[in-house]
Amino acid sequence: MPVDPSVLFSTPPPRKVAVPIIDVHTHVRRLPETRLLVEAAQHYGVARLVGIATLDDCLSLKEEYPDALVMAATLVYDNRHDPERFVRENLALLERGAAAGLKVVKLWFKPSFNVETGMKLDDPRLAPIFARMGELGLVALIHIADPDIWWVKYYSDRTVYETKEETYRQAENVLARYPALKIILAHLGGDPEHLDHLEQLLSSYPNLYLDTSATKWLVRELGKQREAARDFFIRWRERLLFGTDLVVRPGLPLDHYLSRYWVHQLFWETDVVCPSPIPDPDCEGTPMIRGLDLPADVLHSLYHDNAVRVLG
Ligand SMILES: [Zn+2]
């Protein structure tokens, strides 16, 4: 069944729940590029977006969208080789951000970042920053791992990269050391392939939350284990937050943003089985949507209540 984007994406299917949705994971820019993302979000009932950018870009965008935008700033790594300066500059960033309403700090600690910067998430240079984030009530949104298949395609050299299992030590150290710091691990903790691992992490660390961002990855992996995934979302309904990982890029058409929200809605809210309109180089054969059809009360928590509780 071919999917005709121009017809479908501009017409959201009926919603299963009436609740102002919060998307906790988007990448934004200054205007005008971000307008289309906000337009698409609002078209799909998404009232608020956590927008990741530099602090200055967040502050600029916040003037335009005081209600819709929840600011998520990235740290500055330029002076990481001078630890004192690195800490000083980033603590100043936290203070300036918190005073202006910053809610989230994004850390992108994927394997390639570890190798390029020589920094792991449990690096001593980040310790004072995590401690201060906890005091200020700032939430950490962390990318810790990539799809299993990327360890075959890109990270197979053991002299350069740790295994996927090993890479979680970084996250577990931070989760254990800063119990007052709320941590959202992006992309269902980076491990939608292994729900048993996620269960173990959620059981061990009460300060851990997971977001549903990375559309094709989650739709691909959770669709392979629908029953288990549905059970997981029901069991951990208090700890899961809706997010898309939509990335604003100059020149992307409105339909690009609409299509991701369309896929998410079908996947979480219905039991539809149909081809996905999003090309997926990591999928063997045609990428499919195999909807989880989550119960209405779980959707309520996922779309809204949990984000309100975690982000304040
Ligand atoms: Zn992201």
Side-chain angles (χ1 to χ4, degrees), residues 25-27 52 106 108 141 143 186-187 213 244-247:
H25 192 141
T26 71
H27 295 264
I52 301 161
K106 172 74 190 300
W108 195 62
L141 174 56
H143 177 130
H187 321 315
S213 68
T244 56
D245 203 20
L246 268 165
V247 180

Side-chain angles (χ1 to χ4, degrees), residues 192-218:
E193 296 91 341
H194 305 284
L195 297 175
D196 52 345
H197 177 219
L198 298 177
E199 298 255 359
Q200 182 203 321
L201 290 172
L202 287 163
S203 304
S204 304
Y205 306 105
N207 53 335
L208 172 62
Y209 302 84
L210 311 177
D211 81 26
T212 67
S213 68
T215 311
K216 53 181 179 285
W217 181 12
L218 262 64

